[in-house]
Amino acid sequence: MANEIVAASSNFLVGSVLEFEIRTKLNSSINLRGSPALVDFSPMAARGALTLAIPLAGWDALVMTAPGEGAGVSNTALDSDQITLTIARQAIQLQVSDELLVSSLGGAIGVERLAGSAVSAYINRHNDLTVGLFGSVTASAGTSGANLTLDDIVDATQTLMRANNVDGTYCMLHGQQMGDLQNSLRGEGGALMFSAPTADMIAAKGKGYAGSFLNVDFWINNRVLTANSNADYAGCMWSRGAFGYAEATHPMSSMRGSINPEVVSPVLVEFERSATTGLNTVIASAFLGVAMIEDARAVKIVTDA
């Protein structure tokens, strides 16, 4: 037979078609901004400097003494310190051509979608600046080259308790570290139990929340950095007051033609268009600084990658 109209030789079919919706690739976008885990020192706008000096004082460490009958009382020294937190401009630029916007199936790609991604980029930057501090923490738990175990977690909690940390406690681990901890927990017996997160808890505490154990809230964050020439991951356990951040409202946030998303108020999204090249540019910027406030409130957890 001949002249059949079949798919293999038809002029009526194309090689492939695009799905209307572009799926989002896997990523680790943990958002502790606004969480009790971090101290918010905002706003920093119009304060006369980009650097914030944070005074620390040992008010609650003062202790009375018994001077004795008829004896005078001497002055007691107040333990104090000062930490600085500097904000800086954070920014991202995305560009798309007129041709892509015209041909984009169902409007899957547009400047609005790029603007949304630019705002997400701020959350990721916030995340990266936070986990970037873990390696500078003095106290340490875990063993380089060895998998994370329950003993390492208990060691970290006890280190914090010995340093008088009684506030809310948080822990952020790489997925590899959390997997190793789960394997360790499978071999444990007794009354200790890891409380898995419910849907309501995840909604309240955000993406990446993994549950609670020993009164510590855990997050899985694969943006946690490596240590020791990429041989390990450096997670961290800390109490409130260990890390803090400051933001400043962008000075051009009220400018016409810009967007100041309510969900992430510090981010300014602006648009530029080149008529000669047919290129459309989305630029998002914000002012942010993250710093370690008190080293004694944290323990880095360094274990095998």
Side-chain angles (χ1 to χ4, degrees):
M1 298 180 67
N3 299 321
E4 297 91 346
I5 301 175
V6 296
S9 60
S10 175
N11 290 322
F12 305 114
L13 295 178
V14 295
S16 61
V17 296
L18 279 175
E19 166 61 34
F20 280 96
E21 180 181 357
I22 299 177
R23 304 291 176 177
T24 301
K25 295 183 68 174
L26 280 174
N27 66 94
S28 186
S29 298
I30 311 304
N31 181 14
L32 290 184
R33 178 182 177 272
S35 161
L38 303 178
V39 180
D40 185 2
F41 292 98
S42 307
M44 270 294 290
R47 296 182 68 170
L50 294 176
T51 299
L52 175 68
I54 305 169
L56 305 176
W59 300 116
D60 296 335
L62 299 175
V63 180
M64 285 185 177
T65 61
E69 184 177 358
V73 180
S74 300
N75 290 331
T76 298
L78 176 65
D79 182 27
S80 63
D81 198 357
Q82 188 179 95
I83 304 298
T84 58
L85 190 162
T86 302
I87 64 171
R89 181 173 179 255
Q90 320 292 333
I92 188 172
Q93 176 174 305
L94 301 169
Q95 199 169 65
V96 61
S97 68
D98 285 348
E99 286 82 358
L100 184 58
L101 293 177
V102 168
S103 60
S104 176
L105 188 61
I109 296 179
V111 290
E112 295 84 2
R113 182 65 185 90
L114 294 182
S117 295
V119 172
S120 297
Y122 174 74
I123 298 301
N124 291 335
R125 178 59 173 165
H126 201 299
N127 190 356
D128 289 345
L129 289 174
T130 302
V131 301
L133 298 171
F134 294 170
S136 60
V137 173
T138 301
S140 180
T143 302
S144 176
N147 291 346
L148 179 64
T149 66
L150 173 60
D151 289 342
D152 298 326
I153 296 300
V154 172
D155 183 24
T157 59
Q158 291 177 347
T159 298
L160 290 177
M161 286 190 290
R162 287 192 293 268
N164 298 318
N165 287 282
V166 294
D167 297 329
T169 309
Y170 313 91
C171 186
M172 185 167 284
L173 301 173
H174 190 275
Q176 179 65 52
Q177 292 179 302
M178 181 59 75
D180 292 337
L181 175 59
Q182 289 175 340
N183 288 335
S184 177
L185 287 170
R186 290 172 63 188
E188 295 290 334
L192 294 177
M193 183 176 66
F194 197 103
S195 299
T198 64
D200 289 341
M201 293 169 66
I202 294 175
K205 297 180 181 292
K207 182 178 178 181
Y209 181 66
S212 177
F213 184 62
L214 298 176
N215 294 320
V216 179
D217 282 333
F218 283 79
W219 278 267
I220 300 173
N221 185 357
N222 285 344
R223 304 182 83 90
V224 165
L225 301 180
T226 58
N228 301 322
S229 301
N230 300 323
D232 305 307
Y233 285 116
C236 189
M237 183 183 295
W238 71 94
S239 71
R240 176 172 170 80
F243 306 109
Y245 68 95
E247 299 169 329
T249 302
H250 199 288
M252 303 303 292
S253 61
S254 60
M255 180 180 176
R256 293 186 61 185
S258 65
I259 297 178
N260 187 216
E262 293 182 4
V263 65
V264 187
S265 58
V267 181
L268 175 73
V269 180
E270 300 172 280
F271 303 96
E272 291 181 356
R273 170 171 168 74
S274 171
T276 57
T277 61
L279 293 176
N280 305 277
T281 305
V282 176
I283 304 169
S285 55
F287 286 88
L288 168 69
V290 181
M292 180 162 61
I293 307 304
E294 194 168 0
D295 185 44
R297 292 180 179 269
V299 179
K300 64 184 173 187
I301 301 176
V302 180
T303 55
D304 186 40

